[in-house]
Amino acid sequence: MPACRRYRSWLVTAVFALAMFAGARGWLRAADNPQGKQIAEIQTAGNRIHTTAQILNVMHSRAGKAYDQALIQEDVRRLQNTRWFTPDGIRVLTTNEQDGRITVTIFVNELSSTVQEIVYRGAEHISPSDLRTLTGLRKGDPMNPLANELGRAAILRRYQDDGRYFATVDLVEGSKPTDSRVLYNIVEGPVVKVSHIDFVGNSGATSGRLQTQLVTKKAFGGLIGGKFNPMSLELDRKALTEYYQALGYLAVQIKPEVQRSPDMSHVTIVYHIIEGAQYHVSDKFITGNTSYPTEKLTAVTELQIGERYDRRVAQRDLTRLRDYYGYRGVMAGIEEQWTEVQPGLVQVNYNVLNDRGAQDRVGRIKVDGNTVTRDDVILNQLDLRPGQILQYPKIEDAKMRLARLGIFDAEEPPEVQVIPNEFDSEYKDILVKVRETRTGNIVFGGSVNSDAGLTGNIAINERNFDLFRFPTSWDDIRYGRAFRGGGQELRIEAAPGTSFQRYSVTFREPYLMNTPFGLTTSAYYYNRAYAEYNEDRFGGRITLDRRLDQIWSASASTRIEGVNVKDVPYYAPYAISKDAGSHFLLGLRAGINRDTRDSYIYPTKGNVFDAGFEQVLGDYTFPIGTAEFTQFFSSRYLAREDGSGRHVLGFRTQVAVAGTNAPVFERFYAGGIRSFRGFSFRGVGPFENNLAVGGTFSLLNTIEYQIPVLPSDKMFVVAFVDHGTVERNFEIRDYRVSVGAGIRLSVPALGPLPLAFDIAFPLRQGPNDHRQVFNFSMGLFGSK
């Protein structure tokens, strides 16, 4: 026993002495922090297959530079990505030198075997090149069992994404570092389609609305689409849970079940739902507020006592409360908490955090990541200036405005961050981080409607144009820096058609000389074949506009045009034939616009007012005054419980007056889509010899009621009354009325605007008016 104790004492002493000696010689990791010290040398240890030079070429750290722990960690990730080393086979040690510098040693554990062959046995529906891309494996690579397993998982995910739910992928060879071959055994199985989606236990929500919440879709006709992906089931469960909670079912439970067909080619997905009680609000509190009284904060909230609990409304309340503080320069955190007081009743508490009362101000504004786009293009979207009170809601608004420019990467959208200022806590710096993307595109399309026939469309559009950024070298052209970076838009468009064609070049500067004024210039050529004559119109337009606030905007524009009226029939009346030939026009217009719609595509409330006055000079001298007002109404009582499926009632009135000496090509006409249904294009108005001669006074009105048909709100039926007149003078002689109905069908592949099909019948018409029962187009009520 004494001998054993003496042996242990000697061993401990030896280890201690060795550690002291090693530390003195720098064999162990430096005890102090190496961050910022100069690197004397980077050396490697443990490498036998790959040379030190090969390893150092992968790294970004270099001798002579300062040691950066973050860069070293990135270097380790780069080395691991080479797949030369075993998992966790890279260690970094630092050693202090006598001159204050450090030596960095990279200890590696290499993979010794190499891949001699890669076999994908049983793969028929994924090409060899796609398989190589999925796995990332190449012949001659080090044998890496972990990489091989990751490749197996990637292949399986691809098959499941393609709807092959029962596919299996086994790694037969390549799971050991000593293997020389990677062999995947693949059983693809059939493409599994979703034949039915059923809901069991739902009474508080219709199956149709629940269906719209799902990522999983059933196959159309059993053949088109509807590939089954088991990864989407959890996403569907979460979406359904959030939907039910928004309806007040806070304790809802949802469990998906997959039922397979006998031949394994189809599945039925059944969502078993236990809704539980629908909760209502018994009381509502606001706590933690010290800067502002509870009554004022309560006034901005929407959730009401006695009504059902709606999580979406509660989230909107949180946003309103944050904005209330945020517009006053206070970044207050606000949380929503609900407490069950008894089954079906909850108390809701909005808890205000960090209500310190002190207002923050804007410090420095920095822009990072833009290599082509000028800083001022980005700063113009912020609506923030140094020294101002920092209105926090403008941060989110700036993010959306930058994203809407379409000049930055959509997958990595712009970020606007508030960061502390090291000089003064009252001032907060603003950091804008962007990642640029390609901003030019070519668009091919077309349209068809009952007014203009078939029209094609080819457009070249550059959203980040710079008129004055001329190339200074070949690299400016090669790397796309020439004529780019100014945030301007250049659009070149050609639209040939059967009865109408248009060619134009449009340039827009949204912030002229970094002011709130926008400048739009365009040059164009139009050709239109009418029943009365053919018209060529070419010229240009210059418009200066200014957004006055969130809803009001004003504009001033000048148009210079040459108009050629030709192919006038011999029997045309004097009102038309007198204007044949070429003419010059100069128009000076001022306009104002007010828009409070809740949506530009599917408005349910709000209104639009647009008015303008133009004085035309040149070969003719006459004024034109126009005004249009559109109002939308809807009620939550004529909607589904979740707020969708709203019935919308719309009213529109258009009034236009021109001077009595206005030529035939500047007068007013009505009839056709978005004008006066039940009549053909230009089928309403004064006629002579059965030819439309146009009027100098126009009054058009529409009343339209829209009802959703499908739970997805992709199809609507409408009923409408169009009424009004077009007269030679400022008077009402022949007032027309038509009634009709139609369908609005949304097809995502055709764009945001739905297809419109209308049938209308005139109840009252003027002499010689031209009727047309059916109209079709792409658009909505209120669109132009």
Side-chain angles (χ1 to χ4, degrees):
M1 182 67 65
C4 182
R5 289 177 177 174
R6 286 195 300 273
Y7 175 78
R8 290 178 179 175
S9 300
W10 177 84
L11 182 60
V12 170
T13 303
V15 171
F16 180 76
L18 181 61
M20 294 292 292
F21 181 74
R25 296 293 303 271
W27 291 355
L28 295 181
R29 185 186 181 102
D32 54 344
N33 186 2
Q35 182 71 21
K37 293 186 177 181
Q38 187 180 18
I39 300 174
E41 181 185 6
I42 301 178
Q43 58 189 15
T44 62
N47 53 310
R48 297 183 301 276
I49 300 175
H50 300 88
T51 65
T52 297
Q54 288 176 314
I55 295 174
L56 295 184
N57 283 338
V58 176
M59 301 174 60
H60 286 184
S61 298
R62 294 287 184 269
K65 291 185 176 181
Y67 181 91
D68 186 344
Q69 183 64 35
L71 185 58
I72 287 291
Q73 292 175 352
E74 183 63 30
D75 287 338
V76 171
R77 283 192 289 271
R78 291 190 182 94
L79 291 171
Q80 289 172 338
N81 290 337
T82 63
R83 301 185 178 182
W84 294 344
F85 312 106
T86 62
D88 300 324
I90 303 172
R91 293 182 301 129
V92 179
L93 299 179
T94 59
T95 305
N96 286 329
E97 300 294 339
Q98 293 182 352
D99 59 1
R101 298 185 299 171
I102 59 172
T103 296
V104 179
T105 304
I106 311 297
F107 290 89
V108 297
N109 185 15
E110 293 179 304
L111 294 166
S112 55
S113 299
T114 58
V115 177
Q116 302 299 319
E117 186 181 9
I118 305 172
V119 180
Y120 303 98
R121 181 186 295 166
E124 297 180 359
H125 292 86
I126 301 180
S127 67
S129 61
D130 286 346
L131 288 167
R132 287 193 295 269
T133 301
L134 287 169
T135 61
L137 301 179
R138 298 292 185 272
K139 186 178 178 180
D141 285 350
M143 178 59 69
N144 190 333
L146 177 60
N148 299 339
E149 174 59 27
L150 293 175
R152 183 201 69 79
I155 296 173
L156 181 59
R157 281 196 304 272
R158 170 64 180 274
Y159 275 114
Q160 290 179 341
D161 290 342
D162 289 345
R164 299 182 184 275
Y165 174 51
F166 301 109
T168 60
V169 182
D170 295 321
L171 180 59
V172 179
E173 298 181 34
S175 59
K176 299 187 293 292
T178 55
D179 289 340
S180 60
R181 185 171 74 154
V182 179
L183 172 59
Y184 294 108
N185 190 42
I186 300 171
V187 179
E188 295 182 328
V191 174
V192 182
K193 299 278 189 174
V194 179
S195 59
H196 295 89
I197 299 177
D198 298 327
F199 301 91
V200 177
N202 58 305
S203 59
T206 65
S207 297
R209 284 303 297 169
L210 293 177
Q211 193 98 315
T212 63
Q213 310 302 313
L214 304 180
V215 175
T216 304
K217 305 298 180 185
K218 64 180 181 180
F220 180 75
L223 299 173
I224 303 174
K227 292 181 179 179
F228 175 58
N229 185 348
M231 302 296 291
S232 64
L233 292 180
E234 179 59 21
L235 297 176
D236 291 341
R237 189 194 65 79
K238 290 181 178 179
L240 291 173
T241 300
E242 292 175 359
Y243 179 78
Y244 263 106
Q245 289 179 343
L247 296 178
Y249 296 94
L250 300 178
V252 65
Q253 298 179 37
I254 299 173
K255 182 179 180 181
E257 177 192 1
V258 179
Q259 299 175 352
R260 308 171 185 176
S261 65
D263 62 356
M264 302 295 187
S265 63
H266 290 81
V267 297
T268 296
I269 302 176
V270 181
Y271 292 94
H272 297 275
I273 302 171
I274 303 176
E275 293 179 337
Q278 187 178 36
Y279 284 77
H280 288 69
V281 180
S282 65
D283 212 342
K284 180 177 68 174
F285 304 98
I286 297 178
T287 59
N289 53 306
T290 57
S291 302
Y292 305 103
T294 302
E295 310 83 67
K296 288 189 176 181
L297 297 178
T298 303
V300 305
T301 61
E302 181 183 352
L303 195 67
Q304 298 297 321
I305 297 174
E307 295 188 352
R308 68 172 173 83
Y309 175 83
D310 189 328
R311 176 153 293 176
R312 293 167 306 180
V313 175
Q315 292 300 316
R316 291 198 295 268
D317 284 349
L318 292 181
T319 301
R320 292 188 185 97
L321 290 170
R322 292 190 187 106
D323 289 350
Y324 188 91
Y325 277 91
Y327 277 117
R328 291 157 177 79
V330 179
M331 184 60 174
I334 303 177
E335 297 178 343
E336 182 251 345
Q337 302 165 340
W338 57 267
T339 305
E340 183 180 15
V341 294
Q342 66 182 62
L345 290 177
V346 292
Q347 289 181 341
V348 178
N349 179 43
Y350 298 128
N351 186 27
V352 182
L353 308 174
N354 304 322
D355 186 358
R356 51 188 178 82
Q359 292 181 319
D360 293 331
R361 292 186 176 273
V362 180
R364 297 166 297 187
I365 302 178
K366 308 173 185 177
V367 180
D368 180 48
N370 54 319
T371 58
V372 175
T373 306
R374 300 197 313 257
D375 283 358
D376 63 292
V377 174
I378 298 172
L379 295 176
N380 283 332
Q381 302 298 324
L382 298 188
D383 196 21
L384 295 169
R385 298 293 183 269
Q388 292 179 341
I389 292 176
L390 176 51
Q391 297 181 330
Y392 282 94
K394 290 186 176 181
I395 299 295
E396 291 301 320
D397 182 58
K399 292 181 184 179
M400 291 187 290
R401 294 172 66 177
L402 287 169
R404 283 197 298 264
L405 290 177
I407 63 177
F408 303 115
D409 194 341
E411 296 183 358
E412 192 175 327
E415 297 181 14
V416 183
Q417 302 173 352
V418 178
I419 56 179
N421 185 297
E422 65 269 25
F423 301 109
D424 191 333
S425 60
E426 177 188 0
Y427 287 86
K428 307 296 181 183
D429 292 341
I430 309 297
L431 175 62
V432 183
K433 299 177 68 175
V434 297
R435 181 179 178 183
E436 294 171 317
T437 187
R438 297 183 62 178
T439 54
N441 61 344
I442 301 178
V443 178
F444 298 91
S447 63
V448 59
N449 61 56
S450 52
D451 287 354
L454 181 64
T455 305
N457 184 271
I458 304 172
I460 301 174
N461 195 66
E462 170 58 57
R463 299 182 301 275
N464 198 13
F465 189 69
D466 191 336
L467 182 63
F468 301 106
R469 192 167 188 170
F470 298 98
T472 58
S473 66
W474 170 249
D475 283 346
D476 284 348
I477 300 175
R478 179 182 177 186
Y479 295 109
R481 294 191 294 263
F483 297 107
R484 288 186 65 235
Q488 303 158 357
E489 184 172 3
L490 177 68
R491 184 178 181 86
I492 303 173
E493 185 173 12
T498 55
S499 59
F500 171 77
Q501 50 186 320
R502 177 183 73 252
Y503 305 92
S504 63
V505 178
T506 303
F507 169 81
R508 175 161 177 78
E509 169 58 81
Y511 292 91
L512 183 63
M513 302 177 67
N514 292 324
T515 67
F517 292 91
L519 176 68
T520 304
T521 61
S522 62
Y524 48 82
Y525 167 76
Y526 297 86
N527 173 264
R528 182 69 194 251
Y530 299 109
E532 297 77 18
Y533 53 85
N534 288 338
E535 177 185 312
D536 292 333
R537 189 179 293 244
F538 58 91
R541 184 183 297 268
I542 301 175
T543 301
L544 191 67
D545 59 83
R546 166 74 187 272
R547 177 164 291 279
L548 305 178
D549 56 27
Q550 293 297 320
I551 60 175
W552 285 96
S553 61
S555 64
S557 63
T558 300
R559 63 170 170 139
I560 303 174
E561 292 181 337
V563 182
N564 183 25
V565 177
K566 59 185 182 181
D567 300 329
V568 179
Y570 69 91
Y571 55 86
Y574 178 72
I576 297 176
S577 60
K578 69 181 181 66
D579 294 324
S582 299
H583 310 280
F584 170 76
L585 297 180
L586 170 64
L588 305 173
R589 184 182 189 276
I592 192 164
N593 179 274
R594 181 182 187 272
D595 193 342
T596 63
R597 288 174 294 178
D598 58 345
S599 170
Y600 294 124
I601 305 300
Y602 292 98
T604 62
K605 61 182 180 179
N607 55 65
V608 184
F609 172 73
D610 187 87
F613 176 82
E614 182 179 31
Q615 179 62 49
V616 181
L617 307 171
D619 291 345
Y620 302 88
T621 302
F622 59 95
I624 299 178
T626 59
E628 179 177 344
F629 180 76
T630 305
Q631 176 71 55
F632 298 93
F633 299 94
S634 63
S635 171
R636 64 187 181 94
Y637 298 107
L638 292 175
R640 304 186 187 99
E641 190 175 10
D642 62 2
S644 65
R646 288 181 177 267
H647 295 208
V648 180
L649 177 64
F651 296 87
R652 180 178 61 190
T653 295
Q654 297 171 297
V655 180
V657 180
T660 55
N661 60 332
V664 66
F665 51 85
E666 289 288 303
R667 297 176 193 157
F668 307 127
Y669 301 84
I673 55 175
R674 292 188 292 277
S675 175
F676 210 137
R677 290 160 290 189
F679 299 92
S680 65
F681 177 64
R682 297 192 11 155
V684 173
F687 288 86
E688 295 183 23
N689 296 345
N690 204 33
L691 296 178
V693 296
T696 59
F697 171 67
S698 172
L699 172 63
L700 301 177
N701 306 281
T702 295
I703 304 172
E704 185 169 297
Y705 191 72
Q706 175 180 283
I707 304 173
V709 176
L710 299 178
S712 61
D713 286 350
K714 298 294 185 182
M715 182 178 180
F716 304 86
V717 295
V718 299
F720 58 84
V721 177
D722 290 348
H723 55 104
T725 186
V726 176
E727 304 285 355
R728 295 177 184 270
N729 301 306
F730 189 73
E731 59 183 356
I732 297 179
R733 295 170 58 90
D734 297 305
Y735 201 79
R736 285 87 166 173
V737 179
S738 68
V739 298
I743 294 175
R744 305 292 179 264
L745 183 63
S746 177
V747 182
L750 298 180
L753 293 178
L755 297 175
F757 303 92
D758 293 325
I759 296 177
F761 302 92
L763 300 181
R764 181 183 176 89
Q765 64 186 81
N768 302 314
D769 285 351
H770 298 167
R771 299 178 57 166
Q772 180 174 304
V773 173
F774 179 68
N775 298 102
F776 66 95
S777 68
M778 181 178 293
L780 275 172
F781 174 81
S783 60
K784 293 183 178 181

